[in-house]
Amino acid sequence: MEAKSPAQIKVDKRTPGYWRVTFNNPPFNIFGPETIPQFEKVISAIETDPDLKVVVFDSAVPGFFLTHYNFTPPLAESTGLPSGPTGLHPLPDMLVRISRSPVVSIALIRGRATGVGSELALASDMRFASREKAILSQWEVGAGLVPGGGPMARLPRLMGRGRALEVLLGSDDINGDLAERYGYVNRSFPDDQLDPFVDALALRISGFDRQAIADTKRLVDFASLPSNPEIGAGWDAFITSVQRPTTQAKIGRLMEMGLQTNADIERRLGHYTQTLAGI
């Protein structure tokens, strides 16, 4: 019998209309093919619960909201997964479904939201960050990768083309204050004010009429969300890029430094990615 993966995601149903979905995969909240079936169950539950109105994504791992894709498993474990209901690979599929769900999604970002973590935040309807402790980044280009979870389609709609290219091509860390100024997040708060604000907003929205919430969100979606082919193109480009010899060499170098094992590498990924360019 195949061993069952440890639970990486906890769902706290605080009220019938308000859930907290908490990532808990220490030490760094890395997201990989082993996470996908667990997250799929959560997304399906969000889509089918008749009373749910608001979901908040957060983390139980200090310093890390959700980080990059897991580079340890063979690539076939990702490419061999069946497509989701949208026809996309399961990761972009789930991100698209979060965005288009009638349920309101909020990312509460404390710690590093890198790669998949940033892409989950961007797929959510709203993002709120700790001023002192949030770090967002799309680090992939610095390692020879193309981001796979749709930030090329989402970031320009939030912050404009120039700033989106700065974030994507600069591949550097963005703190909570700058993320707010650029529109990467709705607002950043002093760390001790973040949870009370998000909790109060989620509870407030969860008290409103479900159909009115769903209809309003659907109409905003028409004006703001990228198409599925735009999202799918990013995943295809990621899979192509990860197989390039130059990219394999860069990822290998990061793994030798301690990517996925060394806390300093994960906390200062922007710095260590820059060293690959010899700068």
Side-chain angles (χ1 to χ4, degrees):
M1 182 181 295
E2 185 177 347
K4 185 178 180 181
S5 297
Q8 298 181 15
I9 307 171
K10 176 186 175 184
V11 178
D12 176 13
K13 299 181 180 181
R14 297 199 169 185
T15 73
Y18 168 28
W19 297 359
R20 282 281 184 120
V21 174
T22 302
F23 293 94
N24 186 20
N25 183 27
F28 307 126
N29 262 350
I30 291 170
F31 189 103
E34 69 283 358
T35 318
I36 284 174
Q38 297 184 33
F39 199 34
E40 161 63 31
K41 289 181 181 178
V42 173
I43 301 305
S44 294
I46 288 170
E47 291 175 323
T48 57
D49 189 282
D51 300 313
L52 183 60
K53 302 173 187 176
V54 184
V55 60
V56 172
F57 296 108
D58 66 3
S59 167
V61 178
F64 298 92
F65 171 72
L66 187 67
T67 55
H68 53 78
Y69 207 73
N70 189 349
F71 292 100
T72 301
L75 186 60
E77 291 190 19
S78 295
T79 57
L81 292 167
S83 299
T86 64
L88 299 170
H89 178 275
L91 176 56
D93 169 83
M94 290 185 290
L95 297 179
V96 164
R97 288 158 62 196
I98 288 167
S99 296
R100 297 195 180 279
S101 167
V103 174
V104 176
S105 52
I106 299 173
L108 188 162
I109 306 167
R110 175 178 285 109
R112 180 172 280 280
T114 295
V116 178
S118 168
E119 291 157 3
L120 171 61
L122 292 171
S124 298
D125 299 318
M126 294 175 250
R127 294 152 294 283
F128 300 98
S130 166
R131 189 166 295 164
E132 300 93 339
K133 297 182 179 180
I135 296 290
L136 295 95
S137 79
Q138 296 290 165
W139 68 291
E140 292 90 345
V141 168
L145 295 162
V146 177
M152 291 81 71
R154 297 185 191 276
L155 276 170
R157 289 168 163 86
L158 289 173
M159 61 177 69
R161 182 174 184 270
R163 285 176 169 175
L165 287 169
E166 178 187 343
V167 170
L168 291 161
L169 302 184
S171 302
D172 207 353
D173 296 339
I174 307 293
N175 64 27
D177 275 341
L178 183 58
E180 179 185 70
R181 293 209 308 273
Y182 272 25
Y184 208 150
V185 300
N186 291 54
R187 292 197 242 176
S188 64
F189 289 90
D191 190 67
D192 62 351
Q193 297 178 25
L194 177 62
D195 285 272
F197 174 84
V198 171
D199 199 49
L201 179 63
L203 283 169
R204 177 182 174 86
I205 295 172
S206 71
F208 297 154
D209 179 76
R210 191 175 192 270
Q211 192 62 53
I213 293 170
D215 287 345
T216 301
K217 183 180 169 183
R218 175 173 52 82
L219 293 168
V220 171
D221 289 350
F222 287 156
S224 60
L225 289 185
S227 67
N228 289 3
E230 287 179 84
I231 299 293
W235 179 260
D236 293 343
F238 166 72
I239 293 299
T240 298
S241 68
V242 79
Q243 298 177 80
R244 294 181 189 129
T246 54
T247 303
Q248 287 289 310
K250 290 177 185 292
I251 294 298
R253 179 67 187 122
L254 284 172
M255 296 293 280
E256 289 172 3
M257 291 182 195
L259 186 72
Q260 303 193 179
T261 58
N262 185 310
D264 188 60
I265 303 293
E266 292 291 344
R267 289 195 185 101
R268 298 199 297 140
L269 188 54
H271 164 76
Y272 285 100
T273 301
Q274 183 174 340
T275 67
L276 299 175
I279 299 172

